[in-house]
Amino acid sequence: MKKITYIAACLSLFMLNTACTGDFEEINEDPNRIAQISPGTLINPIIYGMASHNASRSASTNFDLMQVTLPFPSVSGGLHRYDVSPNIGNSSWNTSYKWLANIREMRMAAEASGDNNYLAAALTLNAWVYSNLTDQFGPVPMTEAVRAEDGILYPAYDSQELIYETILNDLETANQLYDTDMGMIYASDILFNNDVEKWKKFTNSLHMRLLLRISNRTETNAFQKLTTMINNPEEYPVFESNAESAILQVTGVGANVSPWGRPQDFRLNVKMASFFIDNLNDWNDPRRPLIATTGTDLDNNNIGYIGIPSGYDGPDSQFEYNASTLQILQVTNPMQIFILPYSEVEFIKAEVAQRGFTTDAEEHYNKGIKAAIEQVKATVPEDYFDNTAVQYDGTLEQIMLQKYYALYFVDYQQWFEFRRTGLPELPTTPAMLNNAMMPSRFPYPSDQQIYNLSNYQDAVQMIGEDDINTKVWWDN
């Protein structure tokens, strides 16, 4: 097997909490560094590195776009008004490719050793990262990406259609590769503790997420494939409880620590958005005290859970109260990072049923709500479903509203699902920029125009314009 890159060698020391710096493209020839890796060497750094980045970006970017929170005071501009920086996606682009390089190393190591369980896990992690990356930007480098060792320093971009075709095929392959009799023989992974069955359920749950994502493209027959998966749980097992979810339990021990080294920064100059908190109030929802603080009037009297309207027009002084903000405990060790929760699987099943491909939409809807509440460690009140505002009314709108809360703090998934469905319906204001339209993608990092210009230009030609309002392939 090829010698690993410098960054991979550094990351193999992850659990020792060792910091590394260096050139990503430098080939490791130092005899004092690790020259070979096992299939299990990088799995924990990959999971933690990508999950922790996604959590931080969910709070700083997705929350503002999707009216979970907003910066306050913020009399003008700001992402909650769709004032989008041209560099908004840079960190996710760079972080994704850093970890994709290591996923490739993991995959090659698994292939070299004939370890199908680690190969399946690598294919799954690769699909997870690439799906989030392409859903942020559209076409991105994949076929030629992270192949500096092969002399490819300026990778071509692949169409989103090809990327999805590839990763969906990889997930199908991964499902067939898992061998529960073989086990996973290396040090315990931090996501599923080497439980092969849970890894397999993660693979298929991710497969369902991505099929639903492209379901507007009727030529993909995504709903037919989803129906096949739902009707064949023995062949395609998926998450069946919160205990099986892809939720990283951050222990605070060793290197498995909160991405917020200063938890107080999580809510620094941040208020809850009215849309997010008002629905929870309507439902008398038990998640409120776990997510948000209560607000106070100017005399410091408790006035319950109250937000600020996203994209508000006019001065900050119009709000004569101190609005609710985020609970710091959500990012204090120990904490959870949500990758793909069981509740999402139930809402996928609910939508497939609501669209007429399967049955029992209400049952899946109710299970999704219950799981979403319990995944944040809240308890479902006995009378919760007596509330007419919660009871299933047969519409996609209601499923997507509840799914929005199930996807709280799950990287960019609220934003992706809004772009796919236009739901939930978010209020707009005259102060919002971009004609009060939700951005459809992030601009490519500006350095692509400097270091990879020809391929960048080809990518722009695929989509028409490198603009935040250009729709990606599945968003038709």
Side-chain angles (χ1 to χ4, degrees):
M1 195 187 79
K2 294 180 181 179
K3 293 184 178 181
I4 62 175
T5 59
Y6 176 45
I7 192 167
C10 291
L11 291 166
S12 69
L13 301 176
F14 172 85
M15 298 313 292
L16 298 179
N17 204 21
T18 301
C20 300
T21 58
D23 188 344
F24 175 76
E25 297 169 357
E26 179 185 351
I27 303 301
N28 175 16
E29 298 291 351
D30 188 337
N32 295 318
R33 295 192 183 123
I34 299 171
Q36 299 290 331
I37 61 171
S38 73
T41 302
L42 295 174
I43 192 168
N44 284 342
I46 292 163
I47 293 167
Y48 175 83
M50 202 67 241
S52 61
H53 170 80
N54 286 346
S56 66
R57 298 307 297 172
S58 184
S60 64
T61 303
N62 181 80
F63 279 11
D64 280 7
L65 285 172
M66 291 302 298
Q67 301 196 19
V68 176
T69 63
L70 69 158
F72 188 83
S74 173
V75 70
S76 64
L79 190 56
H80 64 116
R81 295 189 178 92
Y82 304 150
D83 185 6
V84 181
S85 162
N87 297 319
I88 189 172
N90 286 20
S91 65
S92 288
W93 178 283
N94 295 332
T95 301
S96 295
Y97 280 113
K98 177 176 77 173
W99 294 111
L100 285 165
N102 288 278
I103 292 171
R104 183 170 183 266
E105 296 284 355
M106 176 183 169
R107 179 175 177 173
M108 290 191 299
E111 289 172 339
S113 63
D115 196 318
N116 283 348
N117 285 332
Y118 282 94
L119 176 56
L123 291 171
T124 301
L125 293 171
N126 193 67
W128 169 49
V129 179
Y130 264 119
S131 62
N132 277 357
L133 186 65
T134 189
D135 288 349
Q136 290 172 66
F137 295 96
V140 297
M142 182 183 69
T143 306
E144 295 185 353
V146 296
R147 292 179 57 190
E149 291 181 359
D150 297 331
I152 302 176
L153 302 181
Y154 308 105
Y157 287 62
D158 293 285
S159 70
Q160 191 172 47
E161 182 178 7
L162 176 62
I163 292 168
Y164 261 89
E165 180 182 351
T166 301
I167 60 180
L168 288 172
N169 285 338
D170 284 348
L171 292 171
E172 187 72 41
T173 298
N175 181 54
Q176 302 301 321
L177 285 172
Y178 287 111
D179 184 349
T180 54
D181 293 330
M182 183 177 175
M184 299 176 79
I185 63 174
Y186 299 101
S188 179
D189 74 79
I190 57 176
L191 188 57
F192 296 121
N193 194 29
N194 289 10
D195 187 321
V196 177
E197 188 61 34
K198 287 181 181 178
W199 271 103
K200 187 171 185 175
K201 289 185 174 185
F202 178 33
T203 296
N204 290 317
S205 299
L206 179 61
H207 197 167
M208 289 178 64
R209 170 194 278 179
L210 301 187
L211 284 169
L212 190 63
R213 183 66 37 77
I214 64 171
S215 60
N216 286 340
R217 303 293 310 199
T218 55
E219 72 274 18
T220 65
N221 295 315
F223 278 117
Q224 288 75 13
K225 177 61 177 179
L226 278 164
T227 302
T228 297
M229 294 183 70
I230 292 169
N231 289 336
N232 292 274
E234 290 188 6
E235 183 178 358
Y236 296 103
V238 294
F239 294 144
E240 298 177 88
S241 68
N242 281 332
E244 295 178 339
S245 291
I247 299 176
L248 177 59
Q249 302 298 327
V250 176
T251 62
V253 177
N256 188 12
V257 296
S258 169
W260 281 265
R262 285 169 41 91
Q264 59 268 38
D265 292 343
F266 178 54
R267 67 182 189 191
L268 184 64
N269 297 323
V270 169
K271 298 297 183 184
M272 303 305 300
S274 295
F275 175 82
F276 185 86
I277 211 71
D278 287 350
N279 285 311
L280 295 178
N281 285 336
D282 288 344
W283 305 333
N284 195 25
D285 199 281
R287 285 170 283 195
R288 288 175 298 176
L290 297 168
I291 292 174
T293 64
T294 52
T296 60
D297 63 21
L298 298 184
D299 294 322
N300 208 34
N301 298 308
N302 189 322
I303 55 173
Y305 299 97
I306 185 170
I308 299 286
S310 288
Y312 63 89
D313 195 12
D316 302 325
S317 59
Q318 67 185 285
F319 305 106
E320 297 182 343
Y321 56 88
N322 296 310
S324 300
T325 187
L326 290 161
Q327 283 283 13
I328 288 179
L329 288 178
Q330 294 175 97
V331 297
T332 303
N333 293 313
M335 62 169 287
Q336 299 184 116
I337 296 179
F338 302 101
I339 297 173
L340 198 162
Y342 157 63
S343 59
E344 182 180 351
V345 173
E346 289 294 348
F347 281 115
I348 292 170
K349 291 180 178 180
E351 180 174 346
V352 175
Q354 190 274 337
R355 292 181 182 273
F357 293 94
T358 57
T359 59
D360 302 321
E362 183 173 6
E363 178 184 352
H364 293 303
Y365 168 84
N366 289 341
K367 285 183 177 180
I369 293 174
K370 183 174 184 293
I373 291 172
E374 292 176 346
Q375 77 192 25
V376 297
K377 310 298 185 184
T379 301
V380 182
E382 290 185 4
D383 62 349
Y384 188 79
F385 289 95
D386 294 339
N387 188 331
T388 56
V390 173
Q391 291 170 0
Y392 182 59
D393 64 3
T395 66
L396 180 62
E397 286 78 4
Q398 191 174 41
I399 290 172
M400 295 307 300
L401 178 59
Q402 289 287 350
K403 187 177 183 181
Y404 165 83
Y405 287 90
L407 293 176
Y408 170 72
F409 229 150
V410 186
D411 55 65
Y412 292 105
Q413 295 304 312
Q414 288 177 329
W415 181 46
F416 297 157
E417 286 293 85
F418 179 87
R419 287 159 48 198
R420 179 179 70 87
T421 65
L423 299 169
E425 187 174 344
L426 300 173
T428 59
T429 72
M432 286 182 170
L433 306 179
N434 198 41
N435 293 318
M437 292 192 308
M438 175 70 73
S440 294
R441 58 180 292 276
F442 293 155
Y444 290 120
S446 57
D447 63 6
Q448 288 295 295
Q449 299 180 52
I450 300 172
Y451 301 112
N452 198 14
L453 178 60
S454 177
N455 290 317
Y456 163 81
Q457 291 172 334
D458 289 343
V460 173
Q461 190 170 16
M462 287 185 211
I463 59 175
E465 188 176 1
D466 187 9
D467 183 83
I468 62 172
N469 296 316
T470 301
K471 293 184 179 297
V472 300
W473 167 72
W474 50 258
D475 185 11
N476 63 349

